[in-house]
Amino acid sequence: MRSKSLVRERILQILYYVGYSYPYEIYKIYKSLYGKVCLRNVYYNIRKGIEAGDIKVLKVETVDGNFTWGDKTKRIYLIPNPLRPVQPLPQDYLKKLNGLKKKFTEVEREEIIKKLGKKEEVIKWVNSFSD
């Protein structure tokens, strides 16, 4: 099932390939692949994807650093819903994303399977990010 929004569909493609990411990183990847996009548009489509069940929250972390707004930030790591069909990324885009594919730890794998259920598609997708 295709999303009503091209931006949301592309975000899902990115997440499906990299495994998990936080919204600002998704924005940077999107911008490098597809060109000009408004940060607000990406965040809006992520929020709508979560509401629709196409995107799931994996974990929330507090990160220390030197940010313009202070020394801490909250990162919300997102994963795609592997039960939702997604068009594959074109080959030339996959080359640009080379090296961005994440590896799930055993704890993350178990957490994702627990959240999404022990369905064959979920397990197959999660295992594609193992060592």
Side-chain angles (χ1 to χ4, degrees), residues 85-113:
V86 175
Q87 293 292 321
L89 280 167
Q91 284 294 5
D92 53 331
Y93 290 176
L94 290 177
K95 289 176 189 169
K96 289 181 184 180
L97 289 178
N98 194 18
L100 290 178
K101 192 170 186 176
K102 311 275 189 343
K103 299 283 185 202
F104 290 135
T105 65
E106 189 59 40
V107 173
E108 289 170 334
R109 276 198 289 274
E110 290 172 13
E111 189 177 322
I112 293 167
I113 291 170

Side-chain angles (χ1 to χ4, degrees), residues 11 27 41 45 48 63 65 69 71 80 82 95 108 110 113-114:
I11 289 169
Y27 162 74
N41 192 0
N45 278 287
K48 287 296 186 182
V63 179
W69 56 86
D71 59 353
K95 289 176 189 169
E108 289 170 334
E110 290 172 13
I113 291 170
K114 192 167 104 177

Side-chain angles (χ1 to χ4, degrees), residues 7-120:
V7 172
R8 195 169 324 138
E9 192 65 31
R10 288 174 172 175
I11 289 169
L12 286 167
Q13 288 174 327
I14 291 167
L15 276 174
Y16 201 84
Y17 178 77
V18 299
Y20 66 92
S21 191
Y22 55 94
Y24 187 68
E25 187 178 48
I26 294 168
Y27 162 74
K28 291 189 299 185
I29 294 169
Y30 189 103
K31 196 172 168 185
S32 73
L33 291 178
Y34 301 107
K36 223 173 188 184
V37 66
C38 178
L39 177 64
R40 191 175 275 216
N41 192 0
V42 171
Y43 278 49
Y44 170 83
N45 278 287
I46 288 171
R47 187 167 33 90
K48 287 296 186 182
I50 291 171
E51 290 172 7
D54 295 337
I55 299 172
K56 305 284 185 185
V57 174
L58 174 61
K59 61 185 172 182
V60 179
E61 284 183 353
T62 301
V63 179
D64 294 325
N66 187 15
F67 305 103
T68 56
W69 56 86
D71 59 353
K72 293 187 188 285
T73 191
K74 184 169 67 171
R75 282 200 182 145
I76 301 169
Y77 288 91
L78 307 168
I79 59 172
N81 183 348
L83 299 176
R84 184 197 183 279
V86 175
Q87 293 292 321
L89 280 167
Q91 284 294 5
D92 53 331
Y93 290 176
L94 290 177
K95 289 176 189 169
K96 289 181 184 180
L97 289 178
N98 194 18
L100 290 178
K101 192 170 186 176
K102 311 275 189 343
K103 299 283 185 202
F104 290 135
T105 65
E106 189 59 40
V107 173
E108 289 170 334
R109 276 198 289 274
E110 290 172 13
E111 189 177 322
I112 293 167
I113 291 170
K114 192 167 104 177
K115 274 186 181 183
L116 300 177
K118 291 187 176 188
K119 298 177 180 88
E120 185 180 337

